[in-house]
Each structure stands twice: as C-alpha cells, then as structure tokens.
Amino acid sequence: MMIETAMEILVPSWWEIQVTVAASLCVIASYWFFFSKTEDFGVDRSQLVESSSISAIDDKDKMVQFKGDPQTNSAYLIKLELLAAKNLIGANLNGTSDPYAIITCCSEKRFSSMVPGSRNPMWGEEFNFSVDELPVQIIVTIYDWDIIWKSTVLGSVTVTVESEGQTGAVWYTLDSPSGQVCLHIKTIKLPVNASRVMNGYAGANARRRASLDKQGPTVVHQKPGPLQTIFNLLPDELVEHSYSCALERSFLYHGRMYVSAWHICFHSNVFSKQMKVIIPIGDIDEIRRSQHAFINPAITIILRMGAGGHGVPPLGSPDGRVRYKFASFWNRNHALRQLQRIAKNYHTMLEAEKKEKAESALRAHSSSIRGSRRQAKIAEETVTKPEKLQPFIKEEVLVGIYNDVFPCTAEQFFTLLFSDDSTFTNEYRAARKDTNLVMGQWHAADEYDGQVREITFRSLCNSPMCPPDTAMTEYQHAVLSPDKKIFVFETVQQAHDVPFGSYFEIHCGWHLETIAENFSTIDIKVGAHFKKWCVMQSKIKTGAVNEYKKEVELMLETARLYIKTHTSGGETNNQSSTPSVTPDCN
C-alpha cells in the first residue's frame, strides 16, 4: 500500500507529462524565433522599424547622406570651429542637458561630440566642408542627447558664408528661448589643382559616386545587402566583414558592425532607438585597441582633425579629434586586425588610383598632341633610350586570342593600314557601323617609343546592361623596328557611357614579324585592365575579351580585302559606305 502511494506521488501522471512537453516546446520555439530574428536583424527588422513614421524622422536627423563630389569640383574650403555654447535650455529633469551639435553645409552633415550634464558646453572641435561656390548657408543645430527617446532640439542658427576670409570667434543667438553658440569660420579659396584631402570627407567614396553619376544609371543584378537597405550606400559596395559588437555611449548600445572597402558602418536598435554610424575609411586617422570598464576589450576608431562625427555624436578627445569606441566583440584582436587591414588596403587603393590616373593622363596628353600632316613615318631614332620610356599597355593583363600567318610584311601592314593617308580605319569602322569617327595624326611622343595618335568614335553596344551605343576613345601606339621586319601596334580603349566605364580599359597588343617576302606572323593579345575594383569585374573581363575576338575577326577580314585591293593596283571607292571623318586639329 505504501509503495503504491509513493509511486503515485513520485511518478508524474500522463496529463502532467503532456503539459511539461508542451511547455518545453513553447520555450524552444520562442528561443529559436528570437535568435533567428536577431541574426537577420541587419535587414529584416531594420526595414520594419524604418517603415514607421517615428524612425523615419529619426533617420532624417541621424543619417548621413553622401551626395555630389565635394573634393573633385570644390573651389572653397570652409573650416568651422565649434567652440562653445552657453545658456542652453535645460532638457533633463535635473535642469541640465547633454548637448551635441549637428552642422549641415549643403549636402554634408557632421556630428560633434556630446557633453554630458552641461548647459554651457565647451567643444573646441573643427569641421571642414568643401563647396563649389559662395555664398552658402551653414546650419548649426544643438540637440539634447537622450538614452532612449529621440533627441530634443535645443535651438539652431543659420550662418551665411558669402566670401573668403575669417570671422573670428562670434556668438550667434539660437532660435530658442535661451542659448547662444560660439563659432569661428574660416573660408579659403583653393587653387585649381590643389589637393582636397584636407576637407574631412572620404575621398574614395566621393570619386566613386561622381564617376557613377557621370555614367548615368548603372544596372547591377545583385540582391541589396545591409549596406544598401540600412545605410543607403552604393549598389556595388559589399560587406567584407560583419561583427556583433556594441557602441559606447551613455551605456553600450548593442548592434552589428558592417565593414566594406570604403566604410565602417554600425547599426543598433535598442528600445526602438535607432543608431546608425557611417565612418568613411578615408576619415580614419588611427585604429587602436582599448578597454571598456577595464574588463571589456574594445576598439577605438579615431578620426582625423576636421572630419567630424558621422551618424551619431562621437566621443571627444583632448586633441580635438573625435572618436568612436566599440566593445563586446567575440574576438576583439581578430576584428582589430581586420579593420587595420581594411584601412591599409584603402590607402593602397588610393595610391594605385593616383598612379593609374597619372598614367592615363600621360597617355591621353601624349596621344592628343597633333603632328604635321606629312606622310607618317615611324622614326627609327625613337627606339633608343628605352630606360626613359613608359610602357603603353599593361602586359600582365593580356591573354592570347589569335596567332596565325598574315599575307603581308610588317612594314606593309603599317603603311597600307595605319598610315595617316590610309582609309582602312574608315572602312573598318563603317563595317562595324561605328559613327562620328575623328582621327588624329601620328606623332612622336617623348614618353613612349615609336609614335602615337588618338581616335574617337561612337560604337554600338551588344550587352543588355549597356546603352544602345557609347562614346569611345582609342589611343594607338605604333613601333616599327629599324630593319622594318617587326611591327608592334598597341591600343588602349576607354568606353565612356557604359556602366563602370571609368573603372576599366581594354588593352590590346599586336605583334607582327616578317617571315617571307609577302608574309608575316601575327600575334594578338587582349585584356581588361581595371583601374579600380568593381562588383562586375569578372563579367566585364570575360565580355570584353569575347567582344574583342569578334572585332579582330572583322578587322582581319577587312584588312585582307583592303591589302589585296591596294596591292593589285586597283583603288576602290568606298566613300558612300564610310562614315565622315573630321580631322582633329586641336
């Protein structure tokens, strides 16, 4: 009897087992649902929150919009020093405020650091803006930082900068019941060719956006990522690394960091308070390891002087530079190494772009200088002093696409097909249905062996991603050996109206060597040289090589017919099918 009673007490009934299993399943399902949503927080949850009117207003105040090209086209540099403020409204219950400032100039927006518990804050921070022309208006708005709720406006003032010079330290009255802000504004007119890296804006992003804007709409068949859906960055910007971490403010705001080749971004949504930080890597002065509360390893990103904060108020520093501190990484040291590597790669990319830009400018300058309208001859003396000459194309990107015997000598190939008085280029471009052909004259260039010239035309596009036709510039380089048995013909093509057209060039090299009285071997190589990385790089490279193969087939077919006609003594009149050629005499 006692055993049966004990069993009834100790062994659960069937109803109790059912209730326990059901409760366990509910707990597991809730746990899975919560953490799966947390992992997708960067895209799904942010889109839901951003659809609300409150967060949309918050985005408008806190989101940094990068538009235009303030570095490439700027004529003036405005240095604004936010010195101090006094008699601000007390927005907190204890009669104080936690003020920070947002400075807006044209489309650029910068954040100052936040000074806790003060109605008379001292900042001493500098913000640099680049503008195309004067006058411009600068709007300084003072906010009170709140841990949970949206920041409260304490007052604003609009200052008009009409001319270059400096104002000194001036107190401006805010459009509020109480409060003044002290600003020192200095305006400098920049030389035409001056470097504008001092303006406190990420140069690489500006150049990328400017080049894409000039090309018109770019079609990128790619699903938008968090950088596009959350931070509204360009479609070709991809997340290279992603970390779960927290931004240090009044307390740690947990969120996620997204790292690309051009930006370090952070997004958090704690108590429905959205925080977005977009740090251009060009504005970073230093990335160092640090600690939060002595036991939490952290990473501090220090921005250079004049950069200002991006997205939310940064932390201040005694030297005037602002900084952002991120903590609670799973592996702080690994994240630190990756961020430092990204910053190093960014500066390496800038140097490579600068070198590529100089080489392209040199090639364009040398090819656009027009010589006299004499019969083109490739001077033999130009083959001397090779140590002072520049390579015309990038040999390392070329791949072989054609190797065969051609029915003419190397000297005949140049004389009949590419001399100034030859009509072969006209006939070939007419066969391709190219229009608006403008040809320059061959001339010697100090930077390159042999002679160079420039031709421009409009060419049809076969790719669905491209417009119907595009403007093309082709730089040509020709070298004939002293014994006239070897002829080297090199071209660099630049497409102007296609997506990512400013990112790449098509380099091609022709090598002919005479092997008999009327025959020579011909070897053709082609490749796509990328001046900058882009998301469509592999597709562009493959498409460019395949398209040039078709172009070479038509070119050689036209060349054989042209040589056969002109070496047999008969001159054909193809003017009716040839596009009009306007000699460029600039």
Side-chain angles (χ1 to χ4, degrees):
M1 193 68 181
M2 295 180 59
I3 297 177
E4 292 180 358
T5 305
M7 291 294 293
E8 290 178 359
I9 296 174
L10 297 177
V11 178
S13 65
W14 176 245
W15 178 83
E16 291 175 332
I17 294 175
Q18 287 179 322
V19 171
T20 304
V21 172
S24 302
L25 292 177
C26 290
V27 171
I28 294 173
S30 301
Y31 186 86
W32 174 83
F33 178 83
F34 174 78
F35 280 96
S36 64
K37 289 299 179 182
T38 303
E39 291 297 325
D40 295 333
F41 178 79
V43 177
D44 299 335
R45 185 168 176 83
S46 65
Q47 291 176 350
L48 294 175
V49 175
E50 288 179 358
S51 62
S52 65
S53 59
I54 297 177
S55 62
I57 297 174
D58 188 65
D59 289 345
K60 183 177 179 182
D61 290 337
K62 296 182 181 299
M63 182 65 184
V64 179
Q65 299 292 337
F66 301 115
K67 297 180 180 178
D69 185 7
Q71 286 200 199
T72 305
N73 303 318
S74 300
Y76 296 92
L77 176 66
I78 299 177
K79 293 187 174 184
L80 183 146
E81 289 186 62
L82 177 64
L83 300 177
K86 62 182 180 181
N87 301 326
L88 297 178
I89 298 175
N92 297 334
L93 295 177
N94 59 1
T96 63
S97 295
D98 303 317
Y100 70 93
I102 297 180
I103 300 95
T104 305
C105 180
C106 298
S107 60
E108 300 181 57
K109 183 185 293 185
R110 309 291 171 76
F111 289 70
S112 76
S113 60
M114 183 267 292
V115 180
S118 175
R119 294 181 56 195
N120 302 289
M122 301 289 290
W123 281 292
E125 296 175 3
E126 180 181 302
F127 306 86
N128 297 339
F129 300 95
S130 294
V131 297
D132 296 331
E133 57 185 3
L134 298 177
V136 295
Q137 288 187 335
I138 298 178
I139 303 174
V140 180
T141 306
I142 309 297
Y143 291 86
D144 172 64
W145 174 262
D146 194 279
I147 296 178
I148 299 177
W149 310 114
K150 181 183 174 182
S151 299
T152 304
V153 178
L154 301 181
S156 66
V157 62
T158 300
V159 181
T160 302
V161 179
E162 298 181 346
S163 61
E164 55 182 310
Q166 54 183 334
T167 62
V170 179
W171 286 94
Y172 297 90
T173 302
L174 303 177
D175 59 351
S176 59
S178 175
Q180 290 181 306
V181 61
C182 185
L183 306 175
H184 176 265
I185 303 175
K186 183 178 181 180
T187 307
I188 304 173
K189 184 174 178 61
L190 298 174
V192 177
N193 297 324
S195 173
R196 297 177 175 88
V197 296
M198 66 185 77
N199 70 352
Y201 189 77
N205 185 69
R207 282 191 292 275
R208 291 173 62 242
R209 185 172 294 277
S211 62
L212 292 177
D213 289 343
K214 292 177 182 177
Q215 296 169 183
T218 298
V219 180
V220 180
H221 300 284
Q222 176 179 305
K223 183 179 179 181
L227 294 180
Q228 288 74 43
T229 57
I230 301 176
F231 304 100
N232 196 29
L233 296 181
L234 291 176
D236 65 329
E237 195 156 351
L238 304 177
V239 176
E240 296 189 9
H241 304 282
S242 177
Y243 304 101
S244 174
C245 60
L247 174 67
E248 179 182 335
R249 293 305 314 151
S250 305
F251 62 88
L252 292 178
Y253 288 85
H254 190 79
R256 196 156 195 88
M257 176 186 289
Y258 303 93
V259 184
S260 74
W262 294 279
H263 294 93
I264 298 176
C265 305
F266 176 82
H267 178 250
S268 173
N269 188 1
V270 178
F271 303 124
S272 297
K273 183 181 180 66
Q274 285 211 60
M275 302 182 67
K276 298 180 183 179
V277 179
I278 306 176
I279 305 176
I281 295 182
D283 284 351
I284 297 176
D285 193 21
E286 185 180 358
I287 302 176
R288 62 170 65 160
R289 57 168 48 90
S290 57
Q291 296 290 131
H292 172 74
F294 299 103
I295 60 173
N296 190 356
I299 296 175
T300 299
I301 300 177
I302 302 175
L303 307 186
R304 57 190 173 85
M305 184 73 69
H310 300 272
V312 298
L315 302 174
S317 297
D319 58 3
R321 298 182 300 174
V322 298
R323 56 193 171 92
Y324 288 99
K325 181 182 285 189
F326 300 93
S328 299
F329 290 91
W330 283 106
N331 189 334
R332 191 275 308 271
N333 292 336
H334 173 74
L336 176 66
R337 288 192 297 268
Q338 294 298 330
L339 294 180
Q340 291 175 338
R341 183 184 63 83
I342 287 290
K344 181 179 179 180
N345 291 345
Y346 172 84
H347 293 290
T348 303
M349 179 182 65
L350 284 189
E351 292 298 323
E353 287 184 16
K354 186 185 299 183
K355 182 178 179 181
E356 289 293 342
K357 185 177 180 180
E359 291 180 358
S360 299
L362 176 64
R363 187 187 302 114
H365 174 72
S366 301
S367 302
S368 61
I369 300 176
R370 302 294 180 252
S372 62
R373 295 181 177 275
R374 56 179 170 80
Q375 170 67 30
K377 291 185 179 181
I378 301 183
E380 299 176 5
E381 60 271 14
T382 57
V383 299
T384 59
K385 302 179 181 179
E387 66 277 4
K388 296 183 180 180
L389 303 175
Q390 301 289 331
F392 196 78
I393 60 176
K394 298 288 185 180
E395 295 283 349
E396 61 272 14
V397 303
L398 302 182
V399 294
I401 61 172
Y402 186 88
N403 190 293
D404 205 348
V405 177
F406 197 76
C408 76
T409 64
E411 182 181 10
Q412 290 174 334
F413 193 87
F414 169 74
T415 305
L416 294 176
L417 302 182
F418 294 107
S419 59
D420 285 334
D421 57 354
S422 172
T423 60
F424 166 74
T425 302
N426 305 25
E427 296 183 12
Y428 165 64
R429 292 298 169 188
R432 280 182 46 86
K433 296 182 174 57
D434 295 338
T435 57
N436 300 346
L437 178 63
V438 179
M439 297 177 59
Q441 299 287 311
W442 288 108
H443 60 276
D446 296 335
E447 299 85 2
Y448 305 108
D449 192 8
Q451 295 195 359
V452 295
R453 72 175 178 182
E454 175 187 353
I455 68 172
T456 60
F457 54 91
R458 294 199 67 86
S459 179
L460 299 178
C461 294
N462 299 321
S463 173
M465 294 181 59
C466 299
D469 65 345
T470 177
M472 299 286 296
T473 300
E474 181 174 290
Y475 305 107
Q476 298 181 346
H477 174 226
V479 181
L480 189 63
S481 63
D483 58 3
K484 304 191 187 310
K485 290 185 178 182
I486 297 177
F487 175 62
V488 176
F489 179 65
E490 299 172 333
T491 64
V492 175
Q493 289 185 350
Q494 177 73 64
H496 299 287
D497 303 324
V498 301
F500 303 105
S502 63
Y503 283 46
F504 69 95
E505 298 171 335
I506 305 301
H507 290 207
C508 184
W510 297 53
H511 183 274
L512 286 88
E513 184 173 358
T514 302
I515 58 175
E517 184 177 354
N518 292 316
F519 293 94
S520 60
T521 59
I522 181 171
D523 182 46
I524 303 176
K525 298 180 179 180
V526 67
H529 169 58
F530 284 84
K531 298 180 286 185
K532 308 179 217 176
W533 180 90
C534 71
V535 68
M536 308 293 292
Q537 184 164 319
S538 59
K539 185 173 294 187
I540 291 174
K541 185 180 298 184
T542 304
V545 173
N546 293 336
E547 183 67 23
Y548 202 84
K549 286 181 181 179
K550 301 176 182 178
E551 188 172 334
V552 165
E553 292 177 2
L554 178 59
M555 190 173 187
L556 292 178
E557 180 182 351
T558 307
R560 290 188 183 95
L561 180 60
Y562 187 89
I563 291 174
K564 181 178 179 181
T565 303
H566 287 73
T567 54
S568 62
E571 294 289 333
T572 60
N573 186 3
N574 295 316
Q575 293 180 356
S576 60
S577 63
T578 302
S580 59
V581 179
T582 305
D584 190 351
C585 300
N586 293 333

